[in-house]
Amino acid sequence: AQSVTQLGSHVSVSEGALVLLRCNYSSSVPPYLFWYVQYPNQGLQLLLKYTSAATLVKGINGFEAEFKKSETSFHLTKPSAHMSDAAEYFCAVRPRRTGKLIFGQGTTLQVKP
Amino acid sequence: DTAVSQTPKYLVTQMGNDKSIKCEQNLGHDTMYWYKQDSKKFLKIMFSYNNKELIINETVPNRFSPKSPDKAHLNLHINSLELGDSAVYFCASSQGFSGHLTYSNYGYTFGSGTRLTVV
């Protein structure tokens, strides 16, 4: 069965520092991959998605993610953290032959001034 | 202009009551979903409907009954509410299935959630 693992339930960075949130998937066939962000008391917003067009995917708010098949990873990065980036981030997979979006456990990003 | 709207946003009720949460999408999507987010923020799919047909039914107590009157609406009715039902429930939609063809490269669009508290 498809699964997705986010390493680190809590990540803390200083404002202006690099943000790196890790995501690994388990599948013999690369699924479609997504990153969502959830701000406090809000719904989930799509940050970016990998759909096999390009391995480096750019999203909203300066985030990007790189798909690495050899590492079964889809890590999310941002060169310089902003206070407004503090939120919960979810990696998700959607197998190519089903419609079910499966989420990782989530990573809380804290940004310190 | 809200793409996926849920009502109510907050719901506080006593154990044993029956309650409903409504969801509507105006994106023209053919598939809708209910997710439950627990206190540890874990998101788990509960149900999915494609063109009013139930296509995903995870291991959910049968006190939970989804209803889709048309492809733009998916409601969730919960009977005999229990303390453990307290969670945030999210509705979502996507362009999902069309016959045997899936549009899996589409993400989902989520509503803003309904926070259910059972006391």
Side-chain angles (χ1 to χ4, degrees):
Chain A
Q2 289 275 357
S3 70
V4 57
T5 303
Q6 292 182 239
L7 296 174
S9 59
H10 193 102
V11 170
S12 182
V13 302
S14 298
E15 193 174 18
L18 171 72
V19 175
L20 171 60
L21 304 182
R22 298 176 188 274
C23 173
N24 287 86
Y25 66 91
S26 66
S27 172
S28 56
V29 177
Y32 296 115
L33 294 151
F34 305 83
W35 276 98
Y36 282 85
V37 60
Q38 184 180 25
Y39 298 104
N41 298 314
Q42 293 189 29
L44 287 91
Q45 181 181 4
L46 181 66
L47 271 179
L48 49 80
K49 62 181 180 181
Y50 166 73
T51 58
S52 39
T55 56
L56 183 62
V57 181
K58 294 189 184 300
I60 61 171
N61 302 338
F63 284 93
E64 61 182 39
E66 186 172 10
F67 171 72
K68 292 187 177 179
K69 184 178 177 181
S70 60
E71 298 177 7
T72 60
S73 69
F74 190 55
H75 302 330
L76 182 71
T77 59
K78 182 173 180 177
S80 176
H82 193 272
M83 296 296 291
S84 61
D85 294 327
E88 191 79 18
Y89 291 81
F90 292 94
C91 183
V93 300
R94 192 174 185 189
R96 291 175 182 241
R97 294 299 300 168
T98 77
K100 194 159 64 172
L101 193 62
I102 302 164
F103 284 90
Q105 309 92 312
T107 299
T108 303
L109 176 65
Q110 180 187 25
V111 182
K112 297 178 291 187
Chain B
D1 284 86
T2 305
V4 180
S5 59
Q6 296 178 229
T7 54
K9 190 169 176 63
Y10 299 97
L11 186 53
V12 181
T13 187
Q14 290 188 325
M15 278 174 45
N17 283 350
D18 303 338
K19 290 293 178 186
S20 292
I21 306 171
K22 297 189 175 189
C23 179
E24 176 181 5
Q25 56 96 3
N26 62 5
L27 297 165
H29 289 162
D30 62 2
T31 307
M32 296 184 71
Y33 311 82
W34 279 111
Y35 276 80
K36 179 180 180 180
Q37 186 174 45
D38 62 23
S39 58
K40 294 184 179 174
K41 304 220 172 163
F42 184 65
L43 283 150
K44 191 173 190 311
I45 192 167
M46 300 172 68
F47 302 103
S48 176
Y49 271 75
N50 172 254
N51 281 322
K52 302 192 295 178
E53 180 185 350
L54 182 66
I55 55 172
I56 295 175
N57 186 355
E58 296 291 298
T59 308
V60 176
N62 56 17
R63 297 182 295 103
F64 289 79
S65 53
K67 283 189 172 52
S68 181
D70 55 61
K71 71 174 189 177
H73 295 83
L74 179 61
N75 304 322
L76 183 65
H77 188 75
I78 316 171
N79 289 326
S80 303
L81 277 155
E82 300 177 357
L83 292 175
D85 297 332
S86 295
V88 181
Y89 292 84
F90 285 102
C91 178
S93 74
S94 75
Q95 193 58 25
F97 293 86
S98 177
H100 296 289
L101 183 65
T102 66
Y103 296 89
S104 298
N105 58 335
Y106 286 40
Y108 293 7
T109 302
F110 284 81
S112 56
T114 296
R115 183 174 295 275
L116 172 65
T117 304
V118 183
V119 298

